[in-house]
Amino acid sequence: MPSLDHTIVHSTDRFASARFLAGLLDAPEPQAFGPFAALKLDNGVTLDYAEHAAGGKEFVPTHYAFLVTEDEFDKILARITDRNLPYWADPQHSRPQEINTRDGGRGVYVDDPDGHNMEFLTRTYSDELLANL
């Protein structure tokens, strides 16, 4: 079965954005790779942060979800609160400074410096939950 190898994340400052996520995940320092700041994740997927070209088309902030362990979630949430970052229990940002408990797990959303919606969850969504969204 195919698996995701890498994807490009558009940013206004490739290293600032990559370091923001690396800091929350306690991941290694992003590395320069051509025009990218490459952030390698534990599962082998790389997020290649690319700077938006001045005068080019605007990029649309997107959503990235990270499946983490309960222990990792606690550490990520602690880093978010230690940095006084706003966070939400939902992708619409209607439940500020809360986490969710969907499917018996926990989840939280935080915006990166470019407005990308970063989600950290401890359980992937079940088919039943997805059918009721």
Side-chain angles (χ1 to χ4, degrees), residues 68-118:
V68 298
T69 67
E70 291 287 341
D71 183 55
E72 289 167 331
F73 185 90
D74 289 336
K75 291 175 182 174
I76 291 165
L77 185 58
R79 291 180 195 110
I80 290 169
T81 57
D82 287 350
R83 295 173 187 178
N84 294 315
L85 297 172
Y87 62 92
W88 298 267
D90 62 313
Q92 297 82 15
H93 296 71
S94 66
R95 295 175 47 205
Q97 305 313 107
E98 294 181 36
I99 65 169
N100 69 60
T101 55
R102 291 187 196 114
D103 263 356
R106 295 184 293 161
V108 67
Y109 297 79
V110 64
D111 287 345
D112 84 348
D114 291 302
H116 295 297
N117 198 359
M118 301 296 181

Side-chain angles (χ1 to χ4, degrees), residues 15 34 42 56 131:
F15 275 98
D42 286 344

